[in-house]
Amino acid sequence: MDFNLKKLTSDAGVFFTRAVQFTEEKLGSAEKTELDAHLENLIARADCTKNWTEKIFRQTEVLLQPNPSARIEEFFYEKLDKKIPSRTTNGELLGQYMLDAAKDFGPGTPYGSTLITVGEYQSRLGGAEREFLQTSAINFLTPLRNFLEGDWRTISKERRLLENRRLDLDICKARVKKAKQAEAKAAAEPDFQETRPRNYVLSASASAVRRPQTETHVERCIHTKTHRLYSIEYAEQELRVAQTEFDRQAEVTRLLLEGISSTHVNHLRCLHEFVEAQATYYAQCHQYMQELQKELSSANSDTYPNSFASNANPSTSATCPSPVSSATLPGVSPPCLASTSTPGIAREPSGPLKIQDVQQPSTGHRKAKVLYDYDAHDTSELSLLADELITVYTVPGMDPDWLVGERGNQKGKVPVTYLELLS
């Protein structure tokens, strides 16, 4: 181990003098060299960029991965330069649970078949989420991290070096000032050789004759003045060197700080890519959920009535009248149909009343906002579009899960679950 005591002592001395200069500046007892306004503005802008980039980066991490334990695990994998293991998303895990449950309940049962359908769509949602997370991490998080861990560290290092150069410059300025003050003070003092009495001069001359080897007062004065002049010249030389190093470091720091503008341009592009990834992800989710709703709605109208008919009491089904056309409005249902009705499934009509023959009552009708799109399954139903307003009312004996809806000259049954009744 190469241990250079002289270098260590020199570095400690430099650190101590810088610390003294910094403390005196804070206390107001020493002058401080101010940076130019342009460089100060660049430093302020860089600090602002760093602070907000760090906050946006941390919060985006929380958005993409809410689990703090998972974030810590990914952090250690990155520091160890190892590949992050693939992690199953919550949607994929839920879909797998539903598929496994459908195997136990029976894929042929209504509940089992619905679990299979929903589970498959949940797996698709989980896959879309996985793709969104990967795209966002590459296109948005990685550039922000590279700036914080790369460019900003370089800028911080050069700024610390600039601060040290400034302290050295101020220290040299203080030395030159002190040397000039000492020279001015010495020049203002009277010459001792001219002011002392004559007998003292003679006595001093006699002593000088007896001790010729001793340095005279004049010689000492000459040596002292020469030393002062040498000290001033040396201090001024150090000041010129410190000023040159400070100017060079200020220019290097300025060039690095001006690169913050290109950093903003790069982060702006990454932000656009992040928003596009979000839009794609949410569009996929919306598409999957619409498809899932249509499949479940079709299952409600096709699968459920058949399942209920197959499980119905034989004696009850024997006494029930045959269903009439669904183009008629549900009237008073017979006891057998009332006992087998299910929420969300309209009971079969028992009267010959046509839907067109139903008149809007003078009271009891109200406005409703459509929550989801709905496609009519037959001529007795009314197709709906999300966010539109229609007039709805009920008819005595009608299934409570259905209402009569009107839109202009169009009229038909509408499901209550697709509506938001307005007061």
Side-chain angles (χ1 to χ4, degrees):
M1 180 178 178
D2 187 12
F3 184 75
N4 193 335
L5 182 60
K6 184 177 181 180
K7 184 178 182 302
L8 180 63
T9 305
S10 177
D11 293 342
V14 171
F15 176 80
F16 178 75
T17 53
R18 289 173 179 172
V20 171
Q21 177 67 23
F22 182 80
T23 304
E24 291 179 350
E25 290 175 356
K26 290 298 181 181
L27 296 176
S29 58
E31 296 181 359
K32 177 182 178 181
T33 301
E34 299 293 341
L35 303 177
D36 61 90
H38 178 62
L39 188 56
E40 289 285 0
N41 292 334
L42 291 176
I43 292 176
R45 188 185 184 199
D47 290 335
C48 182
T49 301
K50 181 260 181 182
N51 293 334
W52 285 113
T53 301
E54 195 170 35
K55 291 180 179 180
I56 293 173
F57 175 78
R58 300 303 177 195
Q59 192 58 37
T60 306
E61 279 188 326
V62 174
L63 174 67
L64 300 180
Q65 180 52 264
N67 189 350
S69 300
R71 293 200 303 271
I72 294 175
E73 181 182 357
E74 293 176 358
F75 174 78
F76 280 114
Y77 273 103
E78 290 176 358
K79 293 303 179 183
L80 296 175
D81 198 16
K82 292 186 178 181
K83 184 180 180 181
I84 301 176
S86 178
R87 184 178 288 105
T88 304
T89 62
N90 294 327
E92 292 173 327
L93 188 60
L94 176 60
Q96 187 61 44
Y97 286 165
M98 289 183 174
L99 295 176
D100 294 341
K103 294 179 182 178
D104 290 341
F105 296 150
T109 62
Y111 185 36
S113 61
T114 305
L115 279 174
I116 292 177
T117 303
V118 177
E120 290 176 350
Y121 276 95
Q122 292 298 328
S123 298
R124 294 183 186 180
L125 292 173
E129 181 184 2
R130 177 192 298 276
E131 184 177 356
F132 165 65
L133 296 178
Q134 293 176 350
T135 303
S136 300
I138 295 174
N139 296 337
F140 190 61
L141 282 183
T142 300
L144 298 184
R145 183 187 295 110
N146 291 340
F147 168 73
L148 294 173
E149 298 181 356
D151 296 345
W152 181 253
R153 287 187 178 180
T154 302
I155 292 174
S156 300
K157 178 181 177 181
E158 296 300 328
R159 284 179 58 183
R160 288 194 299 268
L161 189 57
L162 176 63
E163 180 66 12
N164 291 335
R165 294 290 181 262
R166 186 196 63 79
L167 290 173
D168 293 341
L169 176 62
D170 290 337
I171 291 171
C172 292
K173 288 181 178 179
R175 288 175 180 172
V176 171
K177 184 178 180 180
K178 290 179 180 179
K180 290 183 177 180
Q181 288 177 350
E183 175 64 19
K185 182 179 179 181
E189 292 180 354
D191 191 357
F192 181 73
Q193 181 72 20
E194 297 178 356
T195 57
R196 56 189 174 178
R198 178 174 178 79
N199 56 354
Y200 179 82
V201 175
L202 295 176
S203 176
S205 301
S207 299
V209 172
R210 289 193 300 268
R211 293 176 298 177
Q213 72 278 7
T214 305
E215 185 181 37
T216 64
H217 174 72
V218 176
E219 291 174 345
R220 285 197 300 271
C221 292
I222 294 175
H223 291 168
T224 303
K225 183 175 294 186
T226 303
H227 178 70
R228 288 174 184 157
L229 294 176
Y230 175 76
S231 299
I232 294 176
E233 182 180 356
Y234 183 74
E236 290 178 345
Q237 181 181 358
E238 285 186 334
L239 177 59
R240 288 191 294 271
V241 174
Q243 184 69 53
T244 303
E245 294 180 352
F246 171 77
D247 294 339
R248 184 186 300 114
Q249 186 59 37
E251 182 65 17
V252 172
T253 307
R254 183 185 62 80
L255 293 175
L256 288 174
L257 293 176
E258 287 178 349
I260 293 293
S261 298
S262 61
T263 300
H264 285 189
V265 174
N266 183 35
H267 289 180
L268 175 61
R269 178 183 57 80
C270 297
L271 183 60
H272 280 286
E273 294 179 356
F274 175 64
V275 173
E276 290 178 2
Q278 274 188 313
T280 302
Y281 168 60
Y282 291 128
Q284 288 179 339
C285 292
H286 180 67
Q287 178 184 355
Y288 291 153
M289 293 310 299
Q290 281 189 324
E291 294 175 359
L292 177 58
Q293 279 186 326
K294 290 181 180 179
E295 289 196 23
L296 293 182
S297 178
S298 176
N300 287 341
S301 60
D302 297 336
T303 305
Y304 286 176
N306 296 335
S307 64
F308 283 126
S310 62
N311 295 332
N313 192 329
S315 61
T316 304
S317 60
T319 58
C320 289
S322 59
V324 296
S325 173
S326 59
T328 60
L329 183 69
V332 178
S333 300
C336 63
L337 290 179
S339 62
T340 59
S341 63
T342 303
I345 305 299
R347 291 175 289 187
E348 296 294 336
S350 60
L353 186 63
K354 299 292 185 180
I355 189 67
Q356 291 79 8
D357 298 336
V358 176
Q359 298 296 327
Q360 182 180 138
S362 58
T363 60
H365 60 83
R366 52 196 302 192
K367 291 290 185 180
K369 179 182 179 181
V370 180
L371 300 177
Y372 319 103
D373 294 342
Y374 179 75
D375 296 328
H377 294 86
D378 51 45
T379 57
S380 68
E381 297 180 1
L382 180 65
S383 297
L384 303 175
L385 295 176
D387 297 329
E388 71 173 342
L389 295 178
I390 62 174
T391 302
V392 295
Y393 52 89
T394 184
V395 175
M398 189 175 181
D399 192 297
D401 294 322
W402 293 81
L403 294 172
V404 178
E406 288 187 6
R407 183 201 306 113
N409 296 328
Q410 297 179 343
K411 183 188 302 183
K413 298 182 298 181
V414 293
V416 177
T417 54
Y418 282 68
L419 303 174
E420 178 186 356
L421 298 179
L422 306 176
S423 57

